[in-house]
Amino acid sequence: SQNASKLFSKGSAKMESHVRFKSSNAKKTKESKVQSWAPETPADLHKMASQSLLHELSLKQQQRYKVVVNWFLQNMPATYFRQTTEEARIEHLQAISVILEPSFFTSSKKLK
C-alpha cells in the first residue's frame, strides 16, 4: 500500500508538469496539464508516429487484399483449388497484389 502511494505520487508529479498552449477559442495563453499518455521524448514521439503510420498502412493493405481475395475466389476455376497447395495460392495472391496498382483495388469495376 505504501509502495503504491509512492508510485502514484511519482506519477502525479509527472502529470502536474505544465505546458503552454494557445486556445483556439481564446487569444490568451492558458496553462494545461500534460496528458499522461503523451510521449515525453522525441524518441517516444517517433515510435508513436511510426506505429500509427504502420497501423494505417496495414489497414489499407488489408482492405486491398480483401478485394483481391474476393476476386480470386470468384474467378479461379475449381481445378485450380484442387491442384494448388495453400502455400502456392498465398504466393499467387501476393504476386497478383504486387502487380496491381493501388487504384486498381479501389474500383471493383476493374476486377469484374
Side-chain angles (χ1 to χ4, degrees):
S1 161
Q2 286 180 340
N3 287 340
S5 63
K6 284 181 185 179
L7 284 174
F8 285 119
S9 65
K10 286 181 183 178
S12 63
K14 245 185 187 180
M15 288 174 44
E16 290 174 9
S17 63
H18 291 79
V19 294
R20 293 202 168 270
F21 73 100
K22 276 201 166 179
S23 170
S24 58
N25 296 339
K27 297 208 177 198
K28 60 186 175 182
T29 303
K30 295 182 179 180
E31 282 193 18
S32 172
K33 291 182 181 180
V34 173
Q35 298 296 323
S36 61
W37 48 263
E40 294 181 3
T41 65
D44 289 341
L45 181 60
H46 183 269
K47 180 181 175 183
M48 187 172 139
S50 295
Q51 288 173 337
S52 176
L53 289 169
L54 287 169
H55 178 71
E56 290 297 320
L57 288 170
S58 294
L59 290 176
K60 287 183 184 236
Q61 188 175 36
Q62 186 175 17
Q63 290 170 344
R64 290 177 183 157
Y65 278 138
K66 282 182 184 180
V67 173
V68 171
V69 167
N70 286 335
W71 175 86
F72 191 78
L73 294 173
Q74 291 174 4
N75 290 285
M76 297 302 288
T79 54
Y80 171 83
F81 293 100
R82 285 193 298 271
Q83 297 173 355
T84 310
T85 65
E86 180 76 19
E87 184 179 343
R89 280 184 244 146
I90 297 296
E91 289 176 6
H92 298 161
L93 279 165
Q94 287 174 327
I96 292 168
S97 296
V98 168
I99 292 169
L100 301 176
E101 295 178 27
S103 62
F104 194 93
F105 297 104
T106 59
S107 174
S108 60
K109 293 176 187 173
K110 292 181 181 179
L111 286 176
K112 292 184 179 180

